[in-house]
Amino acid sequence: MSLGFPLFLLLVLMLVVITVLKTIVLIPQGEAAVIERLGRYTRTVSGGITILIPFIDRVRERVDTRERVVSFPPQAVITQDNLTVAIDTVVTFQINDPARAIYGVDNYIVGVEQISVATLRDVVGGMTLEETLTSREVINRRLRGELDAATTKWGLRISRVELKAIDPPPSIQQSMEMQMKADREKRAMILTAEGRRESDIRTAEGQKQARILAAEGEKHAAILRAEAERQADILRAEGARAAKYLEAQGEARAIERVNSAIRKSEITPELLAYQYLEKLPKMAEGQASTMWMIPSQFGDSLEEFARALAKKGDDGVFRYEPVKPAVDETEEEETEDWFTATANPEIEAAVAAANAVAQTPLDGDSLPEVKQPEQISPQQPMTEIPPQ
């Protein structure tokens, strides 16, 4: 009797503990629990402490209500051009109604996988391999629409569907790599050819520009040389004219001085005859003079010469009388301009324009316009020579 009472108390205590555990259920945040009463769905609870009727209510299933990301293994899909590709997908979904997810489908994960595979084969089967590789966004949008419509009755919401990888067969991959390599080589050759063509065009344009500039420079240099030669000829002609004038003026002045000296010295016919006879031996010294003859009428000729150029004096001797010129100064010509050489403004302007063109930097394809030198009158002198 003494041993049975404590055992009874222990059983009662254990029963109370079990009852309390069956009565109080703790549901964490982000989970939902489906409650059944006597095998029939009663309610869905989430996030907190829930009181159950012990031995009558029970938790059928705990469901994670957070958004879940499920990756499905690669699936073999045949494209429109009869090529088999392996496509694996990633589906992001969330359970909005845990009761439907438990009672509406046996395994919602498997259901989502099978529907995604079927939809994927339907979509990719109408596309070629190239369209499949370049139409990921279209495939994702169609998969999401089909899955969302099919899983709504299961209490699921499909938020995103992505194609993680599309793997064509190894032979196709090799062919694609060869094709891409050929395309890259083609683009590289095209770019290289374009670069060479552009380089040749630029080189030809540079050579053309250089030749044009060289021709322009030669043209300007020839113009300047011709102008310089013309001015030099003009200056030489003016200098020669001035020199001849000075030489003629000097000879005229010398002749005038000699004539003036002769008139002032009052030379007689006897002196002229003596000078004539004195010069005769020198005249006979020439290599071609082998014989010199004096005419018999030489004295008569001298007498007639004296009578014509002299006057007979009181003593019967003919003497020269110097005749004073009416005007002792020679007639002067307008020669002042021959010795003036002020700088010609037109020549200075032409030279300044040529220097400006030679020093102007070139800008692209534009060529500087050279001002042609104007015609310069040869009468305009270049240098100034002070009169002697």
Side-chain angles (χ1 to χ4, degrees):
M1 185 70 181
S2 59
L3 293 176
F5 182 75
L7 182 61
F8 177 74
L9 290 178
L10 181 60
L11 292 175
V12 172
L13 182 59
M14 291 178 61
L15 181 61
V16 171
V17 171
I18 292 173
T19 302
V20 171
L21 292 177
K22 291 289 185 178
T23 303
I24 300 174
V25 178
L26 180 62
I27 307 300
Q29 182 71 30
E31 287 187 3
V34 178
I35 308 300
E36 291 182 349
R37 179 171 295 175
L38 299 177
R40 185 180 181 85
Y41 171 74
T42 303
R43 66 185 186 277
T44 301
V45 295
S46 63
I49 298 176
T50 301
I51 305 299
L52 304 177
I53 300 175
F55 306 108
I56 296 178
D57 294 339
R58 75 181 184 94
V59 177
R60 167 67 185 273
E61 184 116 15
R62 292 175 181 263
V63 180
D64 193 346
T65 57
R66 295 173 297 178
E67 196 171 69
R68 300 175 63 181
V69 179
V70 180
S71 177
F72 299 119
Q75 300 294 327
V77 181
I78 300 175
T79 61
Q80 187 179 10
D81 47 0
N82 296 325
L83 294 176
T84 303
V85 294
I87 303 177
D88 53 345
T89 58
V90 177
V91 179
T92 303
F93 66 93
Q94 187 178 15
I95 298 176
N96 293 332
D97 192 346
R100 289 185 180 183
I102 297 303
Y103 298 106
V105 64
D106 181 27
N107 190 336
Y108 55 85
I109 299 294
V110 176
V112 170
E113 180 182 2
Q114 296 302 321
I115 292 177
S116 63
V117 170
T119 306
L120 183 63
R121 288 177 178 174
D122 179 49
V123 173
V124 176
M127 296 181 178
T128 61
L129 177 61
E130 186 175 358
E131 292 175 350
T132 303
L133 295 175
T134 57
S135 303
R136 288 175 176 261
E137 187 65 27
V138 176
I139 298 173
N140 294 337
R141 188 166 55 251
R142 290 191 59 181
L143 282 175
R144 181 182 177 279
E146 295 289 340
L147 287 175
D148 198 18
T151 57
T152 301
K153 60 183 179 180
W154 297 343
L156 304 182
R157 183 181 63 86
I158 306 299
S159 59
R160 191 177 183 87
V161 179
E162 292 288 343
L163 298 183
K164 187 166 65 174
I166 300 176
D167 299 325
S171 60
I172 301 300
Q173 290 184 4
Q174 186 177 2
S175 300
M176 293 173 61
E177 290 176 358
M178 294 177 63
Q179 181 181 0
M180 294 183 65
K181 182 179 179 182
D183 290 340
R184 291 192 181 96
E185 291 178 353
K186 175 183 176 181
R187 288 196 296 268
M189 294 177 64
I190 292 174
L191 291 176
T192 302
E194 288 289 335
R196 290 178 180 175
R197 185 174 70 87
E198 188 70 19
S199 176
D200 293 341
I201 292 174
R202 294 294 178 87
T203 303
E205 289 179 353
Q207 293 177 355
K208 173 185 174 183
Q209 189 72 11
R211 290 177 182 176
I212 292 174
L213 293 178
E216 288 291 332
E218 292 177 358
K219 172 185 175 183
H220 300 162
I223 291 173
L224 292 178
R225 283 195 298 269
E227 184 65 23
E229 291 176 359
R230 186 174 73 86
Q231 294 300 323
D233 293 340
I234 292 174
L235 291 177
R236 280 193 291 268
E238 291 179 353
R241 183 179 67 172
K244 289 180 180 179
Y245 176 78
L246 292 176
E247 183 179 358
Q249 191 177 24
E251 292 178 357
R253 294 291 178 85
I255 292 172
E256 289 178 1
R257 294 294 179 87
V258 172
N259 291 335
S260 178
I262 291 174
R263 291 188 183 94
K264 289 180 180 180
S265 62
E266 298 181 356
I267 300 175
T268 62
E270 293 83 358
L271 180 58
L272 291 176
Y274 175 76
Q275 290 291 330
Y276 180 77
L277 294 175
E278 189 179 11
K279 298 296 182 181
L280 285 177
K282 292 184 179 180
M283 295 171 61
E285 289 179 358
Q287 295 181 359
S289 301
T290 57
M291 183 180 295
W292 185 266
M293 296 180 65
I294 299 175
S296 59
Q297 294 84 7
F298 182 70
D300 297 337
S301 299
L302 289 177
E303 184 177 358
E304 293 296 333
F305 178 75
R307 290 179 182 276
L309 299 178
K311 292 183 179 181
K312 187 175 181 181
D314 297 335
D315 54 358
V317 178
F318 290 92
R319 293 182 176 85
Y320 286 99
E321 293 182 1
V323 180
K324 294 182 180 181
V327 180
D328 196 12
E329 296 181 356
T330 60
E331 186 177 350
E332 296 292 337
E333 297 181 1
E334 295 294 334
T335 58
E336 294 181 358
D337 295 339
W338 294 9
F339 307 102
T340 59
T342 56
N344 192 343
E346 297 179 354
I347 297 177
E348 290 183 352
V351 174
N355 292 332
V357 170
Q359 297 177 0
T360 301
L362 299 177
D363 185 9
D365 296 336
S366 62
L367 294 176
E369 181 179 0
V370 180
K371 182 180 180 181
Q372 299 295 337
E374 298 179 357
Q375 184 67 24
I376 301 173
S377 175
Q379 296 180 358
Q380 295 179 354
M382 288 295 293
T383 57
E384 183 177 358
I385 303 175
Q388 299 292 335

